[in-house]
Amino acid sequence: MSEAGALSPDPLAGSAFLRACRGLPTERVPVWFMRQAGRSLPEYRAARGEGSILSAFADPELAAELTLQPVRRHEVDAAILFSDIVVPVAAIGFGVDVEQGRGPVVADPFRSEADLARLRPLEPEVDTAHVLETVRILVRELSPRGIPLIGFAGAPFTVASYLVEGGPSKTYVHTKALMRGDPGLWARLLDRLADLALASLRSQIAAGAAAVQLFDSWVGALAPADYHRSVLPFTRKVFEGLADLGVPTIHFGVDTGELLGLMAGAGNTVLGVDWRVPLDEARRRVGPGPALQGNLDPALCLAPWPVLADQTRQVLGQGGGIGHIFNLGHGVLPETDPDVLTRLVELVHSVPADSLAPTS
Ligand code: CP3
């Protein structure tokens, strides 16, 4: 508990986003967008300048400004830290770079037992001091306005996929070959990546993040049996390691229709759903426990407004108005007109949550 918190009421207590994460009723369904910072914003391109994105993450004043831009512009209900899922592995010197328009690349991929030595434990206050300074700046700025900051990390599988493939992949061929071909080494790799994610998330929460999201963006490439045996134990280690901190935890992946039931049981409080499974069907698959986040197809932001508005109302109806955080089913596409996102937030906020049919 912070000193201020002990004396005055918590300004985040009324946050619709935090209430919805906990399954509590809200007047309006809260909304934010994955990848809301950067990408489609002209003010982002102006402020970011040239140079590696890793140096932008390492500049607390700049990273805080880039985090705040979409909050000012769209009046979303939560901010997401401007950072990346590869920041912790880069910070311990694994040798990761981020190529503009492509994503994380690793010159010397993880392929053998000897590579484990390149994954030492993270000391967040030393290795990622700049990230924590960004979090502190943001919390000072946002908390008095009642806006929570979402911290995040990459889940063990998705980070492993970059380290093993050496960059983005469509098939995850080396990752799957390692997972099935050398289960012992795979387990040691994922265990280290779970520890890195956990240390990073705990430090972000200690610095003031009010919720965290674990991105397992690419885990939908796996069959349920492989997910259950080779990934879930390590993802669960991350969520169980956060439980004592009492903040909402969001678990997200793309193309996870067949995995939703398993992912809901990883110890998270919120489950992210992509656009392929309607939220009422997702609810049937996962039961009454977790709040659901999602799930408008990001491509529809480029469709005519009436189409987008109609689909948004459908998503709201399928979400049932309680225990639902409105979001896209994946990140904002770079081609998106930011004014459409602003209008989308206005639309979501215009619908009283208690007018939305509860799912049964
Ligand atoms: O709202 C935000 O954008 C907040 C910051 C944020 C970034 N990356 C900044 C970034 C977040 C939440 C992420 C998460 C992330 N990074 C994920 C999970 C979310 C998802 O999309 O599934 C993944 C898989 C990555 C890995 C990554 N980093 C990719 C694939 C790319 C390249 C393509 C792209 O633009 O998304 C990056 C680079 C990156 N991360 C950029 C930004 C702003 C673009 C870099 C630039 O401007 O040069």
Side-chain angles (χ1 to χ4, degrees), residues 35-37 39 44 48 53 57 80-85 98 100 102-104 152 162 215 217-218 330:
R35 309 304 312 276
Q36 67 192 12
R39 285 201 158 178
Y44 164 75
R48 180 201 174 314
I53 192 74
F57 299 141
I80 180 148
L81 178 68
F82 189 80
S83 182
D84 196 80
I85 60 168
V98 180
Q100 196 153 11
R102 179 154 182 249
F152 72 92
Y162 285 110
F215 281 98
S217 301
W218 313 135
H330 196 188

Short mmCIF file of all heavy atoms in Angstrom, two decimals, residues 35-37 39 44 48 53 57 80-85 98 100 102-104 152 162 215 217-218 330, ligand 1:
data_model
loop_
_atom_site.label_atom_id
_atom_site.label_comp_id
_atom_site.label_asym_id
_atom_site.label_seq_id
_atom_site.Cartn_x
_atom_site.Cartn_y
_atom_site.Cartn_z
N ARG A 35 -2.10 -2.69 -28.90
CA ARG A 35 -1.26 -1.92 -29.82
C ARG A 35 -1.88 -0.55 -30.13
O ARG A 35 -1.75 -0.04 -31.24
CB ARG A 35 -1.00 -2.71 -31.12
CG ARG A 35 -0.50 -4.13 -30.92
CD ARG A 35 0.76 -4.23 -30.10
NE ARG A 35 1.80 -3.30 -30.51
CZ ARG A 35 2.65 -3.54 -31.49
NH1 ARG A 35 2.65 -4.67 -32.13
NH2 ARG A 35 3.56 -2.66 -31.80
N GLN A 36 -2.48 0.04 -29.10
CA GLN A 36 -3.07 1.37 -29.30
C GLN A 36 -2.00 2.46 -29.42
O GLN A 36 -2.24 3.51 -30.02
CB GLN A 36 -4.04 1.71 -28.18
CG GLN A 36 -3.42 1.90 -26.80
CD GLN A 36 -4.46 1.96 -25.68
OE1 GLN A 36 -5.62 1.65 -25.87
NE2 GLN A 36 -4.03 2.38 -24.49
N ALA A 37 -0.84 2.22 -28.82
CA ALA A 37 0.26 3.18 -28.93
C ALA A 37 0.97 2.94 -30.25
O ALA A 37 1.06 1.82 -30.72
CB ALA A 37 1.22 3.01 -27.76
N ARG A 39 2.03 2.77 -34.12
CA ARG A 39 1.34 2.23 -35.30
C ARG A 39 0.53 3.24 -36.08
O ARG A 39 1.04 3.84 -37.00
CB ARG A 39 0.46 1.05 -34.88
CG ARG A 39 1.30 -0.18 -34.61
CD ARG A 39 0.49 -1.43 -34.69
NE ARG A 39 1.34 -2.59 -34.96
CZ ARG A 39 0.89 -3.81 -35.04
NH1 ARG A 39 -0.40 -4.05 -34.90
NH2 ARG A 39 1.71 -4.80 -35.28
N TYR A 44 2.63 9.75 -33.03
CA TYR A 44 3.64 8.76 -32.68
C TYR A 44 4.81 8.85 -33.64
O TYR A 44 5.96 8.96 -33.23
CB TYR A 44 3.04 7.35 -32.72
CG TYR A 44 4.09 6.25 -32.74
CD1 TYR A 44 4.79 5.93 -31.57
CD2 TYR A 44 4.40 5.54 -33.90
CE1 TYR A 44 5.76 4.93 -31.57
CE2 TYR A 44 5.36 4.55 -33.91
CZ TYR A 44 6.04 4.25 -32.75
OH TYR A 44 6.99 3.28 -32.75
N ARG A 48 8.50 9.70 -32.33
CA ARG A 48 9.41 8.56 -32.23
C ARG A 48 10.74 8.80 -32.93
O ARG A 48 11.79 8.38 -32.46
CB ARG A 48 8.74 7.33 -32.83
CG ARG A 48 9.59 6.07 -32.77
CD ARG A 48 9.10 5.09 -33.79
NE ARG A 48 9.84 3.88 -34.02
CZ ARG A 48 11.15 3.72 -34.19
NH1 ARG A 48 11.95 4.72 -34.03
NH2 ARG A 48 11.68 2.57 -34.50
N ILE A 53 13.82 0.97 -32.13
CA ILE A 53 12.70 1.07 -31.19
C ILE A 53 13.18 0.72 -29.77
O ILE A 53 12.64 1.24 -28.79
CB ILE A 53 11.52 0.17 -31.63
CG1 ILE A 53 10.25 0.48 -30.84
CG2 ILE A 53 11.85 -1.30 -31.51
CD1 ILE A 53 9.56 1.73 -31.21
N PHE A 57 12.21 2.59 -26.21
CA PHE A 57 11.73 1.98 -24.96
C PHE A 57 12.60 2.40 -23.79
O PHE A 57 12.15 2.45 -22.65
CB PHE A 57 11.76 0.45 -25.05
CG PHE A 57 10.90 -0.13 -26.14
CD1 PHE A 57 11.34 -1.22 -26.88
CD2 PHE A 57 9.65 0.41 -26.42
CE1 PHE A 57 10.54 -1.77 -27.88
CE2 PHE A 57 8.85 -0.14 -27.43
CZ PHE A 57 9.29 -1.22 -28.15
N ILE A 80 -1.66 1.21 -22.02
CA ILE A 80 -0.71 0.09 -22.00
C ILE A 80 0.68 0.64 -22.21
O ILE A 80 0.93 1.47 -23.09
CB ILE A 80 -1.06 -1.02 -23.03
CG1 ILE A 80 -0.04 -2.15 -22.95
CG2 ILE A 80 -1.18 -0.47 -24.44
CD1 ILE A 80 -0.57 -3.52 -23.25
N LEU A 81 1.56 0.16 -21.34
CA LEU A 81 2.96 0.60 -21.35
C LEU A 81 3.57 0.48 -22.73
O LEU A 81 3.42 -0.53 -23.41
CB LEU A 81 3.73 -0.29 -20.36
CG LEU A 81 5.22 -0.05 -20.22
CD1 LEU A 81 5.46 1.31 -19.57
CD2 LEU A 81 5.85 -1.16 -19.39
N PHE A 82 4.29 1.51 -23.14
CA PHE A 82 5.02 1.44 -24.41
C PHE A 82 6.34 0.72 -24.19
O PHE A 82 7.31 1.28 -23.66
CB PHE A 82 5.26 2.85 -24.96
CG PHE A 82 5.80 2.82 -26.35
CD1 PHE A 82 4.97 2.62 -27.43
CD2 PHE A 82 7.15 2.97 -26.57
CE1 PHE A 82 5.47 2.56 -28.73
CE2 PHE A 82 7.67 2.91 -27.87
CZ PHE A 82 6.83 2.71 -28.94
N SER A 83 6.34 -0.56 -24.55
CA SER A 83 7.54 -1.38 -24.41
C SER A 83 7.38 -2.53 -25.40
O SER A 83 6.61 -2.41 -26.34
CB SER A 83 7.66 -1.90 -22.97
OG SER A 83 8.84 -2.65 -22.81
N ASP A 84 8.08 -3.63 -25.22
CA ASP A 84 7.88 -4.77 -26.12
C ASP A 84 8.11 -6.07 -25.35
O ASP A 84 8.80 -6.07 -24.32
CB ASP A 84 8.81 -4.69 -27.34
CG ASP A 84 8.36 -5.64 -28.44
OD1 ASP A 84 7.43 -5.28 -29.18
OD2 ASP A 84 8.89 -6.76 -28.52
N ILE A 85 7.59 -7.16 -25.93
CA ILE A 85 7.72 -8.45 -25.26
C ILE A 85 9.17 -8.95 -25.23
O ILE A 85 9.50 -9.81 -24.43
CB ILE A 85 6.81 -9.53 -25.88
CG1 ILE A 85 7.15 -9.75 -27.36
CG2 ILE A 85 5.33 -9.17 -25.73
CD1 ILE A 85 6.48 -11.00 -27.94
N VAL A 98 15.00 -5.35 -32.81
CA VAL A 98 13.65 -5.26 -33.36
C VAL A 98 13.73 -4.49 -34.67
O VAL A 98 14.12 -3.33 -34.68
CB VAL A 98 12.69 -4.56 -32.37
CG1 VAL A 98 11.29 -4.48 -32.96
CG2 VAL A 98 12.65 -5.30 -31.04
N GLN A 100 12.21 -2.62 -37.83
CA GLN A 100 11.00 -1.88 -38.14
C GLN A 100 10.18 -2.62 -39.20
O GLN A 100 10.71 -3.05 -40.23
CB GLN A 100 11.37 -0.49 -38.63
CG GLN A 100 10.20 0.46 -38.60
CD GLN A 100 10.63 1.91 -38.45
OE1 GLN A 100 11.81 2.23 -38.56
NE2 GLN A 100 9.67 2.77 -38.19
N ARG A 102 9.08 -5.50 -39.21
CA ARG A 102 9.25 -6.95 -39.23
C ARG A 102 9.06 -7.55 -37.84
O ARG A 102 8.28 -8.48 -37.66
CB ARG A 102 10.64 -7.30 -39.77
CG ARG A 102 10.92 -8.78 -39.80
CD ARG A 102 11.94 -9.18 -40.85
NE ARG A 102 12.10 -10.64 -40.81
CZ ARG A 102 13.20 -11.26 -40.39
NH1 ARG A 102 14.26 -10.57 -40.02
NH2 ARG A 102 13.25 -12.58 -40.35
N GLY A 103 9.75 -6.99 -36.85
CA GLY A 103 9.61 -7.50 -35.49
C GLY A 103 10.94 -7.96 -34.93
O GLY A 103 12.00 -7.63 -35.46
N PRO A 104 10.88 -8.73 -33.83
CA PRO A 104 12.11 -9.16 -33.16
C PRO A 104 12.93 -10.12 -34.01
O PRO A 104 12.38 -11.02 -34.62
CB PRO A 104 11.58 -9.88 -31.91
CG PRO A 104 10.19 -9.36 -31.71
CD PRO A 104 9.67 -9.10 -33.09
N PHE A 152 2.96 -5.38 -19.11
CA PHE A 152 2.84 -6.63 -19.87
C PHE A 152 4.18 -7.33 -20.03
O PHE A 152 5.24 -6.76 -19.77
CB PHE A 152 2.20 -6.40 -21.25
CG PHE A 152 3.08 -5.69 -22.25
CD1 PHE A 152 3.88 -6.41 -23.13
CD2 PHE A 152 3.10 -4.31 -22.32
CE1 PHE A 152 4.68 -5.76 -24.06
CE2 PHE A 152 3.89 -3.66 -23.25
CZ PHE A 152 4.68 -4.38 -24.12
N TYR A 162 10.45 -16.61 -30.86
CA TYR A 162 11.40 -15.66 -31.48
C TYR A 162 12.85 -16.11 -31.25
O TYR A 162 13.68 -16.02 -32.15
CB TYR A 162 11.19 -14.24 -30.91
CG TYR A 162 9.96 -13.57 -31.47
CD1 TYR A 162 8.84 -13.33 -30.67
CD2 TYR A 162 9.90 -13.17 -32.80
CE1 TYR A 162 7.70 -12.72 -31.17
CE2 TYR A 162 8.76 -12.56 -33.32
CZ TYR A 162 7.67 -12.34 -32.50
OH TYR A 162 6.55 -11.75 -33.02
N PHE A 215 1.14 -11.75 -23.08
CA PHE A 215 0.87 -11.97 -24.50
C PHE A 215 1.43 -13.32 -24.93
O PHE A 215 2.65 -13.49 -24.98
CB PHE A 215 1.56 -10.89 -25.35
CG PHE A 215 0.85 -9.57 -25.39
CD1 PHE A 215 1.24 -8.52 -24.56
CD2 PHE A 215 -0.20 -9.34 -26.27
CE1 PHE A 215 0.61 -7.28 -24.61
CE2 PHE A 215 -0.84 -8.10 -26.33
CZ PHE A 215 -0.44 -7.08 -25.50
N SER A 217 0.86 -14.48 -28.00
CA SER A 217 0.25 -14.19 -29.30
C SER A 217 0.25 -15.37 -30.25
O SER A 217 -0.72 -15.59 -30.97
CB SER A 217 0.99 -13.02 -29.95
OG SER A 217 0.92 -11.89 -29.11
N TRP A 218 1.32 -16.16 -30.27
CA TRP A 218 1.45 -17.17 -31.35
C TRP A 218 1.15 -18.58 -30.88
O TRP A 218 1.36 -19.54 -31.62
CB TRP A 218 2.84 -17.09 -31.99
CG TRP A 218 3.26 -15.68 -32.32
CD1 TRP A 218 4.48 -15.11 -32.07
CD2 TRP A 218 2.47 -14.64 -32.95
NE1 TRP A 218 4.49 -13.80 -32.49
CE2 TRP A 218 3.27 -13.48 -33.04
CE3 TRP A 218 1.17 -14.57 -33.44
CZ2 TRP A 218 2.82 -12.27 -33.58
CZ3 TRP A 218 0.70 -13.36 -33.98
CH2 TRP A 218 1.53 -12.25 -34.06
N HIS A 330 -7.16 -8.63 -31.95
CA HIS A 330 -5.68 -8.58 -31.95
C HIS A 330 -5.33 -7.10 -32.07
O HIS A 330 -6.23 -6.25 -31.94
CB HIS A 330 -5.11 -9.42 -33.09
CG HIS A 330 -3.64 -9.73 -32.95
ND1 HIS A 330 -2.90 -10.33 -33.93
CD2 HIS A 330 -2.78 -9.52 -31.92
CE1 HIS A 330 -1.65 -10.48 -33.53
NE2 HIS A 330 -1.55 -10.00 -32.31
O1 CP3 B 1 0.13 -0.32 -27.76
C1 CP3 B 1 1.30 -0.62 -28.00
O2 CP3 B 1 1.76 -0.76 -29.14
C2 CP3 B 1 2.13 -0.77 -26.77
C3 CP3 B 1 3.46 -1.28 -26.93
C4 CP3 B 1 3.71 -2.65 -27.52
C5 CP3 B 1 4.72 -2.89 -28.49
N1 CP3 B 1 4.81 -4.24 -28.68
C6 CP3 B 1 5.54 -1.83 -29.12
C7 CP3 B 1 6.13 -2.07 -30.45
C8 CP3 B 1 3.14 -3.88 -27.20
C9 CP3 B 1 1.99 -4.19 -26.25
C10 CP3 B 1 3.86 -4.88 -27.93
C11 CP3 B 1 3.61 -6.32 -27.78
C12 CP3 B 1 4.18 -7.24 -28.76
N2 CP3 B 1 5.36 -7.18 -29.43
C13 CP3 B 1 3.57 -8.46 -29.11
C14 CP3 B 1 2.29 -8.97 -28.55
C15 CP3 B 1 1.11 -8.29 -29.18
C16 CP3 B 1 0.78 -8.82 -30.54
O3 CP3 B 1 0.77 -8.00 -31.48
O4 CP3 B 1 0.48 -9.99 -30.65
C17 CP3 B 1 4.39 -9.10 -30.05
C18 CP3 B 1 4.13 -10.41 -30.75
C19 CP3 B 1 5.53 -8.27 -30.24
C20 CP3 B 1 6.68 -8.51 -31.12
C21 CP3 B 1 6.87 -7.41 -32.10
N3 CP3 B 1 7.46 -6.19 -31.81
C22 CP3 B 1 6.51 -7.38 -33.47
C23 CP3 B 1 5.85 -8.52 -34.19
C24 CP3 B 1 6.89 -6.13 -33.99
C25 CP3 B 1 6.89 -5.62 -35.43
C26 CP3 B 1 5.64 -5.33 -36.05
C27 CP3 B 1 4.81 -4.29 -35.32
O5 CP3 B 1 4.93 -3.11 -35.65
O6 CP3 B 1 4.03 -4.70 -34.48
C28 CP3 B 1 7.44 -5.39 -32.93
C29 CP3 B 1 7.94 -4.01 -32.99
C30 CP3 B 1 7.19 -3.02 -32.18
N4 CP3 B 1 6.77 -3.21 -30.90
C31 CP3 B 1 6.84 -1.71 -32.60
C32 CP3 B 1 6.18 -1.12 -31.50
C33 CP3 B 1 5.64 0.27 -31.42
C34 CP3 B 1 7.11 -1.09 -33.98
C35 CP3 B 1 8.53 -0.68 -34.03
C36 CP3 B 1 8.81 0.63 -34.73
O7 CP3 B 1 8.09 1.64 -34.60
O8 CP3 B 1 9.88 0.59 -35.31
#
